[in-house]
Each structure stands twice: as C-alpha cells, then as structure tokens.
Amino acid sequence: GKGEPGATVTLKDDKGTALGSTTVDKDGNWSITPAALDDTTHNLTVDQTNKAGTTATHKVPAFEVDTQAPDKVSGIAINDDSGAAIDGLTNDSTPT
C-alpha cells in the first residue's frame, strides 16, 4: 500500500484483532503479509497512525477465502466426430 513515510500501518480483522503491522518506508510504500486466513468472507481494515499520533482507518473491500477444491466433475461424455467414442481419431482436418 501507500502511506505517509514513517507512519505505522496495522491490518486488522473483522473483530479488530491486529493481523500485522509495519512502518511506511521513505518512499511511502508498505506491505503486510498476514498468517493464513480462514475460509470465509473477510472485512479487513487498515489503520495508519502518523508520527503525530493521528489515526486514519480505511476499509479493505470484502473478499472471500476459499481453499477447498471444487467437487469432482461427473456425468460428462466426451466424443470425437469420427463416430466412435474417444478413439483418438477426428474427421476435422483443422483441429485446434
């Protein structure tokens, strides 16, 4: 993110628990990598506190973490155009 150089930035979860904190560098850049988040929708906030002690809070757009693999695909029949199911042959002279 971007911020005021020297300010402290804190990333917080929905309950206000700090997930990480850092200091904005001289070029105004900062980065926080929190621990793994649970599979659910998250509404995080970022607090930036400048050297004078003034804090500004910014909401992060809501996002969902989903680490579960999708269900197995079933019920699909694959056929080519030679008339025989999956024989490795095609009548298409320009397959892509």
Side-chain angles (χ1 to χ4, degrees):
K2 291 289 201 179
E4 181 180 327
T8 300
V9 175
T10 304
L11 178 66
K12 295 181 179 180
D13 67 11
D14 312 47
K15 297 176 181 101
T17 302
L19 301 175
S21 186
T22 192
T23 301
V24 180
D25 70 20
K26 64 180 177 58
D27 297 319
N29 301 306
W30 62 270
S31 178
I32 297 173
T33 303
L37 298 172
D38 294 336
D39 282 15
T40 189
T41 299
H42 294 274
N43 296 289
L44 306 182
T45 58
V46 175
D47 288 347
Q48 176 181 259
T49 305
N50 64 17
K51 291 180 181 181
T54 304
T55 300
T57 299
H58 305 278
K59 290 184 179 183
V60 175
F63 63 93
E64 184 172 345
V65 174
D66 180 3
T67 61
Q68 302 302 313
D71 293 335
K72 179 179 154 185
V73 177
S74 63
I76 295 178
I78 300 174
N79 293 304
D80 58 31
D81 65 353
S82 70
I86 312 176
D87 63 1
L89 302 175
T90 181
N91 293 329
D92 185 350
S93 62
T94 59
T96 57

